[in-house]
Amino acid sequence: MKIVYSEKHAQHDPQHFVVRGTKLRSAEQPERATRLLGAATEAGHTILPPKSYGPAPAATVHTPEYLDFLQTAAREWAKLPGAGPEVVPNVHPARAHASYPKALAGRAGWHQVDTGCPIGPHTWDAALAATEVAATVADMVLAGENHAYALCRPPGHHAYADMAGGFCFLNNTAVAAQRLRGKHERVAILDVDVHHGNGTQGIFYERDDVLTVSIHADPDHYYPFFWGHAHERGAGKGEGFNLNLPLPLGSPDAPWLEAGDKALARIHDFQPTALVVALGLDASESDPLQGLKVTGAGFHAMAEKIARLGLPTVLVQEGGYLGDDLGRNLVQFLAGFEKGRGA
């Protein structure tokens, strides 16, 4: 399989992560991508660099003020008296009837939904490169490739049009889907990350041309908590074009694959002509975040099911953290996908 990867991801190495009041090093480390790259290379896949697009792909799904904030926040933050090494908000507005602030601390709270998305000096460069990886793979599929894999880091599916969150800054999955819309009237997104793809859902929530489907751990008890519930079905003309399939914490292969069957049936009914898979590997039984208990065989089986749709497909890397099986699970998924395609 053709894989697109940028070394620029390593410029983002977040240090600030608060769990239950305790400051830890972020689970979203550069080693995630290098492990995935190493496993894919060893398995014989073809590694390609991204094209250079600049911020244009990101601008198709994100607001101008948000992109300006991401580009300038670290530089402006460093000028503040007593500022730490990363932009981390200490206030978050309830946005109803709120006004957009001028102060950087206020803008940080407006655009960073939690403390899991600290902005360092080169976060913008790394996040922008990830959108270029996604756009490159989308263009490959538009040009005739049946499928390809965007090894994106930092991940993106928690990023809204104007908010970062959950390790995510720019929504790579949404960028790929929007780019495919240039040729395809209907595009489906299937998110198999252990966390609900709330940012992706938010970007397309009122649209009927992009179907969003997410299989994830029940947000009643798991991040992102506020989004990802089964009753969220879209709004306006997008009503009925969002499907959430939450699973009990600790669910193993069988219910995960059953949810996959429901997801694929809905996608089939939508009749898209292209697909984006938000490939989170953090549903793994060995992932440190411990939301679900999916095995390598489960990833292989899910990939086979997805591939049998026969759609031009962009695979976009989302979560998956430093467990023993991270690289192996990627190889299993890619092998399952190619088997389902008859390769």
Side-chain angles (χ1 to χ4, degrees), residues 137-151:
V137 172
D139 283 353
M140 289 165 57
V141 170
L142 287 170
E145 290 286 342
N146 186 266
H147 58 273
Y149 167 54
L151 207 177

Side-chain angles (χ1 to χ4, degrees), residues 249-327:
L249 292 184
S251 293
D253 287 355
W256 192 65
L257 293 171
E258 289 170 9
D261 290 336
K262 294 176 183 177
L264 295 173
R266 177 66 186 96
I267 291 169
H268 180 270
D269 290 344
F270 179 62
Q271 296 187 325
T273 53
L275 175 69
V276 179
V277 177
L279 177 54
L281 297 167
D282 45 3
S284 169
E285 61 184 349
S286 66
D287 192 89
L289 300 188
Q290 288 293 296
L292 299 176
K293 298 291 185 182
V294 176
T295 66
F299 283 110
H300 189 282
M302 180 70 85
E304 272 196 76
K305 291 173 181 285
I306 296 169
R308 290 192 194 113
L309 287 171
L311 294 169
T313 301
V314 175
L315 304 171
V316 178
Q317 185 61 47
E318 291 290 354
Y321 302 96
L322 296 180
D324 292 340
D325 297 322
L326 178 60

Side-chain angles (χ1 to χ4, degrees), residues 10-212:
Q11 297 181 50
H12 174 64
D13 187 6
Q15 301 298 308
H16 188 98
F17 186 41
V18 176
V19 180
R20 300 184 184 93
T22 301
K23 182 181 175 183
L24 306 172
R25 188 183 177 196
S26 175
E28 208 291 284
Q29 298 175 27
E31 187 182 348
R32 295 180 56 237
T34 55
R35 281 198 196 183
L36 293 171
L37 177 68
T41 301
E42 186 175 343
H45 296 286
T46 302
I47 312 301
L48 302 169
K51 295 180 181 178
S52 179
Y53 298 91
T60 65
V61 296
H62 293 289
T63 66
E65 65 185 10
Y66 178 57
L67 295 178
D68 179 71
F69 168 76
L70 290 179
Q71 290 180 72
T72 61
R75 185 169 62 252
E76 293 182 17
W77 186 265
K79 298 175 184 177
L80 298 177
E86 296 176 314
V87 182
V88 181
N90 66 323
V91 59
H92 300 275
R95 283 193 174 203
H97 311 299
S99 298
Y100 189 69
K102 294 182 179 179
L104 180 56
R107 284 184 285 136
W110 186 277
H111 291 301
Q112 293 169 268
V113 72
D114 55 45
T115 61
C117 51
I119 297 173
H122 302 291
T123 296
W124 165 254
D125 300 315
L128 187 66
T131 67
E132 293 181 322
V133 169
T136 298
V137 172
D139 283 353
M140 289 165 57
V141 170
L142 287 170
E145 290 286 342
N146 186 266
H147 58 273
Y149 167 54
L151 207 177
C152 295
R153 183 189 169 269
H157 73 151
H158 295 309
Y160 285 82
D162 65 347
M163 288 191 297
F167 310 149
C168 301
F169 302 91
L170 297 173
N171 196 312
N172 309 309
T173 290
V175 164
Q178 186 61 35
R179 204 159 186 89
L180 292 175
R181 273 290 292 112
K183 179 179 178 181
H184 297 273
E185 290 188 9
R186 290 184 302 280
V187 174
I189 296 172
L190 173 59
D191 192 323
V192 297
D193 191 286
V194 75
H195 305 96
H196 175 247
N198 55 311
T200 309
Q201 171 178 292
I203 286 170
F204 296 110
Y205 203 61
E206 297 186 14
R207 289 173 53 172
D208 60 2
D209 58 331
V210 178
L211 172 72
T212 50

Side-chain angles (χ1 to χ4, degrees), residues 222-260:
Y222 203 68
Y223 188 92
F225 301 111
F226 312 106
W227 307 280
H229 302 273
H231 67 264
E232 298 161 22
R233 301 183 61 252
K237 68 177 184 178
E239 185 173 356
F241 293 90
N242 185 81
L243 175 64
N244 289 326
L245 298 165
L247 297 172
L249 292 184
S251 293
D253 287 355
W256 192 65
L257 293 171
E258 289 170 9

